[in-house]
Structure formats: structure tokens, C-alpha cells
Amino acid sequence: MSDLFKKAISLGWGLTIVSKEKVEKIVDDLVKRGELAPSESKDLVNRLVERGEEEQSQFKTWIQEQVRRVLTDIHVPSDQDIVSLEQRIATLEKRVAELEAERSEPAAE
């Protein structure tokens, strides 16, 4: 059975998009052809589904890292950068308003 499991794993990323129902159908076909004992089928389905979920999580993490790297490489500002800039703008706007108020006070007197 370990050889069969290795073959299934060798499908690579394919497991990340195969539904549990499809895995069960494939395993049922293996049982019908006598390539897998019925007592082993549930365990194999569970392991294949678990492996698929792990690969899907790893793939998602990899994609996120690649996107983050590309965004950094092309200098797209992060959310934190934008918040920081918004705070700086608010501070500058306040300071400009204060200076304009000081400037207009002597003229009014």
C-alpha cells in the first residue's frame, strides 16, 4: 500500500484541487480492481485528503510569499506604509492650518 500511496502523492499539486468525493471514487475503483484492500480504503482516503489539505496550505503560503516579494520588488506600499503616510499628512495639514491661522491673526489686528 505504501507504493500506492507514493504514487498518489506523486500527483503533486493535483491533490490540492481534487475533492474528497473524487479521492473516494478513485480509491473505490482501486478496491474494485483488487489493488487495495477494502479495510485500507478509508485510511487511504483520509491520508490523501489530509495530504491534499497540507499541500493546498503550502501552495497558498508559497503564492502569498511570491506576491509579497513581487509587490516589494515593484515598490508597492504596504498597508503599514499607507497608514504611516496618512498620519504624516494629517500632522502636516494640522501644522499648515496653525501657520495659516498665525499668519492671518496679525493682519486682522
Side-chain angles (χ1 to χ4, degrees):
M1 185 173 106
S2 64
D3 185 48
L4 179 62
F5 186 67
K6 287 178 186 176
K7 287 180 184 176
I9 296 305
S10 72
L11 294 173
W13 296 113
L15 284 176
T16 62
I17 58 173
V18 175
S19 67
K20 183 177 180 181
E21 292 78 22
K22 288 182 181 181
V23 170
E24 288 173 339
K25 183 180 181 315
I26 292 167
V27 170
D28 286 343
D29 288 343
L30 291 172
V31 170
K32 288 176 187 174
R33 292 191 311 222
E35 296 180 28
L36 182 66
S39 61
E40 298 175 318
S41 66
K42 185 175 181 181
D43 184 49
L44 179 60
V45 167
N46 289 338
R47 287 192 297 170
L48 290 174
V49 168
E50 184 179 307
R51 177 63 187 217
E53 289 170 353
E54 289 171 8
E55 288 187 7
Q56 188 174 31
S57 176
Q58 290 171 355
F59 186 67
K60 181 179 176 182
T61 300
W62 181 81
I63 290 292
Q64 288 172 338
E65 289 171 1
Q66 297 306 310
V67 169
R68 192 174 4 265
R69 184 183 58 78
V70 167
L71 292 175
T72 300
D73 288 351
I74 62 172
H75 307 291
V76 173
S78 68
D79 289 344
Q80 185 178 358
D81 293 335
I82 292 170
V83 168
S84 176
L85 289 171
E86 288 172 341
Q87 290 171 344
R88 288 178 64 195
I89 290 170
T91 301
L92 290 171
E93 287 174 336
K94 182 180 176 185
R95 182 66 181 137
V96 166
E98 290 170 355
L99 291 171
E100 286 176 346
E102 288 176 10
R103 190 184 214 173
S104 64
E105 284 178 13
E109 293 177 6

